[in-house]
Coordinates of all heavy atoms in Angstrom, one line a residue:
Y9 N 109.5 165.0 108.0 CA 109.1 164.0 107.1 C 108.6 162.7 107.8 O 109.0 162.4 109.0 CB 110.3 163.6 106.2 CG 111.4 162.8 107.0 CD1 111.3 161.4 107.0 CD2 112.3 163.4 107.7 CE1 112.2 160.6 107.8 CE2 113.3 162.7 108.5 CZ 113.2 161.3 108.5 OH 114.1 160.6 109.2
F10 N 107.7 162.1 107.1 CA 107.2 160.7 107.5 C 107.7 159.8 106.4 O 107.5 160.1 105.2 CB 105.7 160.7 107.7 CG 105.2 159.3 107.8 CD1 105.4 158.5 108.9 CD2 104.5 158.7 106.7 CE1 105.0 157.2 108.9 CE2 104.0 157.4 106.8 CZ 104.3 156.6 107.9
S11 N 108.3 158.7 106.8 CA 108.7 157.7 105.8 C 108.4 156.3 106.3 O 108.7 155.9 107.4 CB 110.2 157.9 105.6 OG 110.7 157.0 104.5
A12 N 107.7 155.6 105.5 CA 107.3 154.2 105.8 C 108.3 153.2 105.4 O 108.5 152.2 106.0 CB 105.9 153.9 105.2
Y32 N 113.8 166.4 111.0 CA 112.9 165.9 112.0 C 112.0 164.8 111.4 O 111.3 165.0 110.5 CB 112.0 167.0 112.6 CG 110.8 166.5 113.5 CD1 111.1 165.9 114.7 CD2 109.5 166.4 113.0 CE1 110.0 165.5 115.5 CE2 108.5 165.9 113.8 CZ 108.8 165.4 115.0 OH 107.7 165.0 115.8
E33 N 112.0 163.6 112.0 CA 111.2 162.5 111.6 C 109.8 162.6 112.3 O 109.8 162.6 113.5 CB 111.9 161.1 111.9 CG 111.0 160.0 111.4 CD 111.6 158.6 111.6 OE1 112.6 158.5 112.4 OE2 111.0 157.6 111.2
I34 N 108.8 162.5 111.5 CA 107.4 162.4 112.0 C 107.2 160.9 112.3 O 106.8 160.2 111.4 CB 106.4 163.0 111.1 CG1 106.7 164.5 110.8 CG2 105.0 162.8 111.6 CD1 105.9 165.1 109.6
A35 N 107.6 160.4 113.4 CA 107.6 159.0 113.7 C 106.3 158.7 114.5 O 105.9 159.4 115.4 CB 108.8 158.7 114.5
P36 N 105.7 157.6 114.1 CA 104.5 157.2 114.8 C 104.8 156.7 116.2 O 105.8 156.0 116.4 CB 103.9 156.1 113.9 CG 105.0 155.6 113.1 CD 106.0 156.7 112.9
A37 N 103.9 156.9 117.1 CA 104.1 156.5 118.5 C 104.1 154.9 118.5 O 104.8 154.3 119.2 CB 103.0 157.0 119.4
V38 N 103.3 154.4 117.6 CA 103.2 152.9 117.4 C 103.8 152.7 116.0 O 103.1 153.0 115.0 CB 101.8 152.3 117.6 CG1 101.8 150.8 117.3 CG2 101.2 152.6 118.9
P39 N 105.0 152.1 115.9 CA 105.6 151.9 114.5 C 104.7 151.1 113.7 O 104.0 150.2 114.1 CB 106.9 151.3 114.8 CG 107.2 151.6 116.2 CD 105.9 151.7 116.9
Y40 N 104.8 151.4 112.4 CA 104.0 150.6 111.4 C 104.8 149.3 111.1 O 106.0 149.4 110.9 CB 103.8 151.3 110.1 CG 102.9 152.5 110.1 CD1 103.3 153.8 110.4 CD2 101.5 152.3 109.9 CE1 102.4 154.8 110.5 CE2 100.6 153.3 110.0 CZ 101.0 154.6 110.3 OH 100.2 155.7 110.4
R53 N 96.2 148.5 109.1 CA 96.2 149.8 109.8 C 96.2 151.0 108.9 O 95.4 151.9 109.0 CB 97.4 149.8 110.7 CG 97.5 151.1 111.5 CD 98.7 150.9 112.5 NE 99.1 152.2 112.9 CZ 100.3 152.5 113.5 NH1 101.1 151.5 113.6 NH2 100.7 153.7 113.8
E57 N 93.2 153.7 108.6 CA 93.4 155.1 108.9 C 93.1 156.0 107.7 O 92.5 157.1 107.9 CB 94.9 155.3 109.1 CG 95.4 154.8 110.5 CD 96.9 154.9 110.7 OE1 97.6 155.5 109.8 OE2 97.3 154.5 111.8
M58 N 93.4 155.6 106.5 CA 93.2 156.4 105.3 C 91.7 156.5 104.9 O 91.3 157.4 104.3 CB 94.0 155.9 104.2 CG 95.5 156.1 104.4 SD 96.0 157.8 104.8 CE 95.7 158.7 103.3
D60 N 89.4 157.1 107.1 CA 88.8 158.0 108.1 C 89.5 159.3 108.0 O 90.6 159.4 108.6 CB 88.9 157.3 109.5 CG 88.3 158.1 110.5 OD1 87.7 159.2 110.3 OD2 88.4 157.7 111.7
N63 N 90.9 160.5 111.4 CA 91.9 159.7 112.0 C 93.2 160.5 112.2 O 93.7 161.1 111.2 CB 92.2 158.4 111.3 CG 93.0 157.4 112.1 OD1 94.1 157.7 112.4 ND2 92.4 156.3 112.3
R64 N 93.8 160.5 113.4 CA 95.1 161.2 113.6 C 96.0 160.3 114.5 O 96.0 160.4 115.7 CB 94.8 162.6 114.4 CG 94.0 163.6 113.6 CD 94.8 164.1 112.4 NE 94.0 165.1 111.6 CZ 93.2 164.8 110.6 NH1 93.0 163.6 110.2 NH2 92.6 165.8 110.0
P65 N 96.8 159.5 113.8 CA 97.8 158.7 114.5 C 98.7 159.5 115.4 O 99.1 160.6 115.0 CB 98.5 158.0 113.4 CG 97.7 158.1 112.2 CD 96.9 159.3 112.4
A66 N 99.0 159.0 116.6 CA 99.9 159.8 117.5 C 101.3 159.7 117.0 O 101.8 158.8 116.4 CB 99.8 159.1 118.9
I67 N 102.0 160.9 117.3 CA 103.4 161.0 116.9 C 104.3 160.8 118.1 O 103.9 161.2 119.2 CB 103.6 162.5 116.4 CG1 102.9 162.6 115.0 CG2 105.1 162.7 116.1 CD1 102.9 164.0 114.5
K68 N 105.4 160.1 117.9 CA 106.3 159.9 118.9 C 107.2 161.1 119.1 O 107.9 161.5 118.2 CB 107.2 158.6 118.6 CG 108.3 158.3 119.6 CD 109.2 157.2 119.0 CE 110.3 156.9 119.9 NZ 111.2 155.8 119.4
I82 N 107.8 169.7 104.3 CA 107.0 168.6 104.9 C 106.9 167.4 103.9 O 106.3 167.6 102.8 CB 105.6 169.0 105.3 CG1 105.6 170.2 106.3 CG2 104.8 167.8 105.9 CD1 104.3 170.9 106.5
G83 N 107.6 166.3 104.2 CA 107.7 165.2 103.3 C 106.9 164.0 103.7 O 106.8 163.7 104.9
F84 N 106.5 163.2 102.7 CA 105.7 162.1 103.0 C 105.6 161.2 101.7 O 105.7 161.7 100.6 CB 104.3 162.5 103.4 CG 103.7 163.5 102.5 CD1 102.8 163.0 101.4 CD2 103.8 164.8 102.7 CE1 102.3 164.0 100.5 CE2 103.3 165.7 101.8 CZ 102.5 165.3 100.7
P85 N 105.2 159.9 101.9 CA 104.9 159.1 100.7 C 103.4 159.4 100.4 O 102.6 159.6 101.3 CB 105.0 157.7 101.2 CG 104.9 157.8 102.6 CD 105.3 159.1 103.1
W87 N 99.8 158.4 99.9 CA 98.9 157.2 100.2 C 97.5 157.6 99.8 O 97.0 158.6 100.1 CB 98.9 157.0 101.7 CG 100.1 156.3 102.3 CD1 101.3 156.0 101.7 CD2 100.3 155.9 103.7 NE1 102.2 155.5 102.5 CE2 101.6 155.3 103.8 CE3 99.4 155.9 104.8 CZ2 102.1 154.8 104.9 CZ3 99.9 155.4 106.0 CH2 101.2 154.9 106.1
E91 N 98.3 162.8 101.6 CA 99.3 162.6 102.6 C 98.7 161.6 103.7 O 97.6 161.6 103.9 CB 99.7 163.9 103.3 CG 98.6 164.5 104.2 CD 97.4 165.2 103.6 OE1 97.3 165.2 102.3 OE2 96.6 165.7 104.3
P92 N 99.6 160.8 104.3 CA 99.2 159.9 105.3 C 98.6 160.7 106.5 O 99.0 161.9 106.7 CB 100.5 159.2 105.7 CG 101.3 159.3 104.5 CD 101.1 160.6 103.9
R93 N 97.7 160.1 107.2 CA 97.0 160.9 108.3 C 98.0 161.3 109.4 O 97.7 162.3 110.1 CB 95.9 160.0 108.9 CG 94.9 159.5 108.0 CD 94.0 160.7 107.5 NE 92.9 160.2 106.7 CZ 92.8 160.6 105.4 NH1 93.5 161.5 104.9 NH2 91.8 160.1 104.7
I94 N 99.1 160.6 109.6 CA 100.1 161.1 110.6 C 100.7 162.5 110.2 O 101.0 163.3 111.1 CB 101.2 160.0 110.8 CG1 102.0 160.4 112.1 CG2 102.1 159.9 109.6 CD1 102.8 159.3 112.6
V95 N 100.7 162.8 108.9 CA 101.1 164.1 108.5 C 100.1 165.2 109.0 O 100.5 166.3 109.4 CB 101.4 164.2 107.0 CG1 101.7 165.6 106.6 CG2 102.6 163.2 106.7
D96 N 98.8 164.8 108.9 CA 97.8 165.7 109.4 C 97.9 165.9 110.9 O 97.7 167.1 111.4 CB 96.4 165.1 109.1 CG 96.1 165.0 107.6 OD1 96.8 165.6 106.8 OD2 95.2 164.2 107.3
T97 N 98.3 164.9 111.6 CA 98.5 165.0 113.1 C 99.7 166.1 113.3 O 99.5 167.0 114.1 CB 99.0 163.7 113.7 OG1 98.0 162.7 113.5 CG2 99.2 163.9 115.2
F98 N 100.7 166.0 112.5 CA 101.8 167.0 112.6 C 101.4 168.4 112.3 O 101.6 169.3 113.1 CB 102.9 166.5 111.7 CG 104.1 167.5 111.6 CD1 105.0 167.6 112.6 CD2 104.2 168.4 110.5 CE1 106.0 168.5 112.6 CE2 105.2 169.3 110.5 CZ 106.1 169.4 111.5
L99 N 100.6 168.5 111.2 CA 100.2 169.8 110.8 C 99.2 170.5 111.8 O 99.3 171.7 112.0 CB 99.5 169.8 109.4 CG 100.4 169.5 108.2 CD1 99.6 169.3 107.0 CD2 101.4 170.6 108.0
E100 N 98.4 169.7 112.5 CA 97.5 170.2 113.4 C 98.1 170.4 114.8 O 97.4 170.9 115.7 CB 96.2 169.3 113.5 CG 95.4 169.3 112.2 CD 94.3 168.4 112.2 OE1 94.2 167.5 113.0 OE2 93.4 168.6 111.4
S101 N 99.3 170.0 115.0 CA 100.0 170.1 116.3 C 100.7 171.4 116.6 O 101.1 171.7 117.7 CB 101.0 169.0 116.4 OG 100.4 167.7 116.4
R126 N 94.5 169.3 100.5 CA 94.1 168.9 101.9 C 95.0 169.6 102.9 O 94.5 170.1 103.9 CB 94.3 167.4 102.0 CG 93.1 166.6 101.5 CD 93.3 165.1 101.8 NE 93.7 164.8 103.1 CZ 92.9 164.7 104.2 NH1 91.7 164.9 104.1 NH2 93.4 164.4 105.4
L130 N 94.1 172.4 106.1 CA 94.5 172.2 107.6 C 95.3 173.4 108.1 O 95.2 173.6 109.3 CB 95.3 170.9 107.7 CG 94.6 169.6 107.4 CD1 95.6 168.4 107.5 CD2 93.4 169.4 108.4

Side-chain angles (χ1 to χ4, degrees):
Y9 71 92
F10 166 69
S11 186
Y32 168 72
E33 180 181 9
I34 302 169
V38 177
Y40 289 94
R53 179 175 160 198
E57 287 177 1
M58 294 306 292
D60 179 2
N63 192 299
R64 297 295 182 266
I67 293 174
K68 178 182 174 181
I82 303 169
F84 52 90
W87 286 5
E91 75 284 1
R93 300 293 183 238
I94 194 165
V95 173
D96 297 344
T97 304
F98 174 77
L99 290 172
E100 293 176 344
S101 296
R126 280 183 42 85
L130 295 175

